[in-house]
Amino acid sequence: KQWYQRRVAITAGGLFEVKKFGDEYFTFLTKCKNPKACTILLRGASKDVLMEVERNLLDAMNVARNVMIDPFLVPGGGAVEAAVAHRLIEKSKEIQGVGQWPYRALAEALRIIPKTLMQNCGVNTIRTMTNLTAKHATTGSTWGVDGETGNIVDMEDFGVWDTLQVKSQVFKTAIETAILLLRIDDIVSGVKKQSDIDAEKMAGKFQAANPQEGPEE
């Protein structure tokens, strides 16, 4: 049975080759009739370049996997962040008092993504961000930043998309991390430093060993 399986595996391949790359030999089975798996051979001028190529390939494969599992896309180029920030600002206007500030703080945090894209392109960040906000307030929620020129473009026509699964997970992780940091600050602020406790203990021992004499009568 084992010999039969090997024979089928060899005869099912349309072409059997042995190629040399550098100082090593590689065996290739190509033009198979019914392939179940494949091997990707990566080559690079240096180890760093090869690791970067491998990382990019893994990222691309993970994106394809996410689209197959959850086939929903959202506009890229900071369009989602700008749209959510605009909705949060509008929601904050309906709330009176300090309750509106969490909405505004989250909106400013989300706007960092399109602002970073603008800074990388070397455009005027304030003017471009104002134009992007105006687009989302009047036209629609698919406007984002062109990562090469820094112009405001419609991502639906531009063809830049992000996976909904990754984008939603990024939002959840960011909010949970912020909540965790706030909780840690509350815990730390309510606990005395160990150095202060040790100093108080040393002061107590010193006073016990050297009691102060009362005034003479």
Side-chain angles (χ1 to χ4, degrees), residues 106-139:
L106 181 56
E108 290 299 324
L110 292 174
R111 284 178 176 175
I112 294 177
I113 301 300
K115 284 182 179 179
T116 302
L117 292 174
M118 299 170 190
Q119 291 175 356
N120 293 339
C121 297
V123 298
N124 190 322
T125 304
I126 298 177
R127 183 181 302 172
T128 309
M129 192 66 207
T130 302
N131 295 336
L132 180 61
T133 304
K135 287 287 187 181
H136 280 270
T138 57
T139 307

Side-chain angles (χ1 to χ4, degrees), residues 135-155:
K135 287 287 187 181
H136 280 270
T138 57
T139 307
S141 59
T142 59
W143 292 87
V145 183
D146 184 354
E148 295 182 354
T149 62
N151 297 328
I152 305 300
V153 295
D154 190 350
M155 289 298 158

Side-chain angles (χ1 to χ4, degrees), residues 146-193:
D146 184 354
E148 295 182 354
T149 62
N151 297 328
I152 305 300
V153 295
D154 190 350
M155 289 298 158
E156 186 174 358
D157 299 331
F158 198 63
V160 176
W161 302 90
D162 290 331
T163 57
L164 177 60
Q165 186 180 32
V166 174
K167 187 67 67 174
S168 59
Q169 185 61 43
V170 168
F171 283 8
K172 292 178 183 178
T173 304
I175 295 174
E176 290 174 358
T177 303
I179 294 173
L180 179 62
L181 292 175
L182 292 174
R183 287 178 178 174
I184 291 176
D185 290 342
D186 291 339
I187 295 173
V188 172
S189 63
V191 178
K192 289 186 177 181
K193 294 183 179 179

